[in-house]
Every structure is written in C-alpha cells, then in structure tokens.
Amino acid sequence: MSPHASTPSPTDSDTPSGPTADTPSASPAGTTSGVATTPGVGAALSPGTAPSPGTASGVGTAPSPGTASSASAGPTSADLLDFVRRTAADRELVDSLPLDPEGRTWVRLDGPGGSEAWLIGWPPGTGTGWHDHAESIGAFATARGTLTENALAVRLPASGWKTLELADGLDRSRRLAEGGGRAFGRHHVHEVLNESQDTHAVSVHAYYPPLPLIRRFSRTGPVLRLEQVERPEDWQ
C-alpha cells in the first residue's frame, strides 16, 4: 500500500500582494539524466498526523514562503515576486523571446541577489508536469496569455519513497492571466500549463538559491510517483 501524504502545509501560501512554472527543465529535448530510482517505501503520512520520527527525512514544518533560509541573506520570495512582476511588464524584453509552435523556449536572466531567473515561452497545450524545487523559494508571473497552476498543499518527504497516495483536499488550482503572479516556499510541488488551444503564453520565473535539482513526478488519481531527478546540467 502506498504511503499517504499529510495535511496541508504552508508551502502553497501566497504573498499578500499576489493574485507558476518553472525552469525549462521539462524541455523539448527530454533529457533523462539523473534518473532517481530510490528504493523502498516512504513514511506513511496519515491525514492530520505528523510523520513517525526517523522514517521520513526532510518532513516538517515548512518555512514561510516570504523568507529565505536563515543561513542566507539572499532575496525573499516577496523580493522574487516583485522582480518577476516588473520583468514581466518589460514589453521589449518579453517580445524579444523567440517562440516555437512545437515546444517551450527560454532565456536565462539575471535575477536579484544571486537568484536564478528565466523568461519562458509556452506554446498552446504545453506544460511542465508535476515537480518540486528542492530547497529553493521562488516566484513567477505571467507576461502574456494565461497560465494554470495545479499545486499540492503539502510538503513531501525529501527521500526514502517511490510512490505516495495523496490524502483528500490537498489539490489547489489557480489561473494567472497577464500581470498575475505568485510566490512560493521551499518544497513547493506543482505543475504549470498553458491550456489555451491557440495562444502562446510567456512568463518570468525566479528561484533562490539557484535550483540544485528538480524532482519530477507522474500522477494517476491520488497516487504520486517519483520518476526522475534533474540537475542544472540537464537544463542549462
């Protein structure tokens, strides 16, 4: 039986000013290096209960999405949200991004305070698939078109599992039209989609610290399965 994901955590909170998505790691090239085949089963997380000690490493109270790691004086997610919104409003920059009808395109940007930032183009009907952002906080804003974010309001175990059965009530969904943005904390799990059938979307994303890895998941109903781990060399 698959372990269960627990009750919602603060990782899906918005900043007060906000209405993804992400790195271009789900690129048309479809790189598969860094495949994770972690053996074993993760800790069972029953709704409303904390994980058993010593069985689910990395599970606990998530930090506020408005703060970076206490060991770092880098930008907060509020700073990143301000950056992606201002950048998304730069029409000259947005219009300079080459667009491809077959796959996503991207340009790396200089983010604030040593953060990683991207300008990404989304053809109609494309998306990222389910993934997380490890220990990085982040933000993104839509510069053109409309993007849909489906997210999980739970922090997943950092290791020791291959499949999880999600509890009820963890799904969150939002649509971000042009100018809309959102920030998120560490271990945020989501997928971002351009659901339009005929319109390209463009967005700006920023992460701090720069992403050390991305875990990619497949999902069938409530069952989430770890499929792959991507590292910076896979998307840069």
Side-chain angles (χ1 to χ4, degrees):
M1 178 156 179
S2 299
H4 289 71
S6 64
T7 51
S9 76
T11 59
D12 190 41
S13 15
D14 292 313
T15 61
S17 59
T20 177
D22 276 307
T23 71
S25 49
S27 67
T31 55
T32 56
S33 58
V35 174
T37 55
T38 306
V41 177
L45 306 182
S46 302
T49 62
S52 301
T55 55
S57 64
V59 179
T61 302
S64 166
T67 61
S69 168
S70 58
S72 170
T76 66
S77 56
D79 296 329
L80 299 180
L81 181 60
D82 177 67
F83 167 79
V84 297
R85 282 179 163 160
R86 287 187 290 104
T87 305
D90 184 339
R91 303 316 305 172
E92 182 177 358
L93 175 65
V94 172
D95 291 344
S96 71
L97 178 68
L99 300 179
D100 184 336
E102 301 300 325
R104 291 193 297 157
T105 53
W106 52 84
V107 172
R108 184 150 186 175
L109 307 174
D110 292 328
S115 61
E116 173 181 345
W118 300 87
L119 179 67
I120 302 177
W122 308 71
T126 56
T128 61
W130 287 95
H131 64 280
D132 68 4
H133 312 86
E135 294 289 333
S136 298
I137 60 173
F140 71 97
T142 304
R144 179 186 300 166
T146 298
L147 291 173
T148 298
E149 181 196 37
N150 299 318
L152 296 178
V154 67
R155 178 171 173 172
L156 302 180
S159 63
W161 65 280
K162 186 66 175 176
T163 61
L164 287 175
E165 184 174 348
L166 302 171
D168 293 337
L170 298 179
D171 285 288
R172 303 288 185 268
S173 184
R174 74 189 70 209
R175 289 172 61 83
L176 298 176
E178 183 173 325
R182 65 104 79 233
F184 52 83
R186 293 186 287 175
H187 300 283
H188 182 62
V189 180
H190 69 175
E191 65 172 352
V192 180
L193 311 165
N194 177 11
E195 296 182 314
S196 171
Q197 298 303 305
D198 54 19
T199 303
H200 239 93
V202 177
S203 57
V204 181
H205 306 255
Y207 310 92
Y208 187 84
L211 293 170
L213 59 85
I214 290 177
R215 294 188 298 178
R216 296 202 169 272
F217 312 103
S218 61
R219 183 175 178 182
T220 304
V223 178
L224 196 69
R225 180 179 179 86
L226 176 63
E227 297 289 353
Q228 181 176 333
V229 176
E230 294 180 0
R231 302 187 184 279
E233 56 267 26
D234 297 324
W235 64 75
Q236 295 182 357

